[in-house]
């Protein structure tokens, strides 16, 4: 009988810690639209912005200034601030890729949270 008093709380503890860990871990993707022509017809520009998709399904949008020689330094600051914010939230950058061509660049960052 004493064995059951020991095993039950131990199993309960293990289950609780595993559930807590599972809720806190996962992946997040950050996509940066910077200097982008519209997709398809190639006319018009998409709004410069950052979109973050978190592991729990929530989305966050961060506005960037329209692409230009004078606004690009401020956009780089905002992108760097966002990367640092992800780090303080416990995310680690595991992959980065950029696609497109001049006038249409999309950069994806993939993060893992442990």
């Amino acid at each position: 009988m004493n064995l059951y008093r020991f095993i039950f709380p131990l199993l309960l503890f293990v289950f609780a810690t595993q559930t807590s860990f599972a809720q806190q871990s996962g992946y997040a993707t950050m996509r940066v639209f910077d200097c982008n022509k519209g997709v398809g017809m190639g006319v018009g520009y998409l709004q410069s912005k950052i979109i973050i998709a978190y592991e729990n399904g929530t989305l966050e949008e961060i506005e960037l200034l329209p692409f230009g020689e004078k606004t690009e330094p401020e956009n780089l600051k905002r992108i760097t601030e966002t990367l640092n914010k992800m780090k303080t939230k416990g995310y680690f950058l595991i992959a980065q890729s950029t696609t497109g061509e001049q006038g249409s660049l999309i950069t994806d960052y993939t993060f893992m949270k442990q």
Side-chain angles (χ1 to χ4, degrees):
M1 193 69 171
N2 286 336
L3 184 62
Y4 291 116
R5 288 183 183 175
F6 174 75
I7 291 177
F8 181 72
L10 180 64
L11 290 175
L12 187 60
F13 174 76
V14 169
F15 177 74
T17 57
Q18 291 298 319
T19 302
S20 174
F21 179 76
Q23 291 173 351
Q24 294 176 359
S25 64
Y27 296 93
T29 302
M30 182 174 106
R31 180 165 288 169
V32 178
F33 296 92
D34 191 14
C35 183
N36 291 286
K37 291 182 183 175
V39 178
M41 302 301 282
V43 295
Y45 284 86
L46 298 173
Q47 181 180 351
S48 296
K49 61 184 165 183
I50 300 169
I51 300 175
I52 304 171
Y54 293 98
E55 71 276 5
N56 63 3
T58 60
L59 294 174
E60 178 182 0
E61 283 195 30
I62 300 166
E63 298 292 325
L64 293 175
L65 299 172
F67 179 80
E69 185 178 330
K70 294 183 179 182
T71 59
E72 193 59 17
E74 182 61 33
N75 284 345
L76 288 173
K77 284 182 192 177
R78 288 185 187 178
I79 293 167
T80 302
E81 287 170 0
T82 305
L83 288 167
N84 284 320
K85 181 178 80 171
M86 296 298 285
K87 181 181 175 186
T88 61
K89 288 183 174 184
Y91 291 94
F92 298 93
L93 182 64
I94 59 171
Q96 181 273 330
S97 65
T98 302
T99 58
E101 57 189 36
Q102 185 177 11
S104 182
L105 295 175
I106 300 172
T107 304
D108 287 328
Y109 300 88
T110 303
F111 298 90
M112 182 175 71
K113 186 175 187 180
Q114 294 183 343

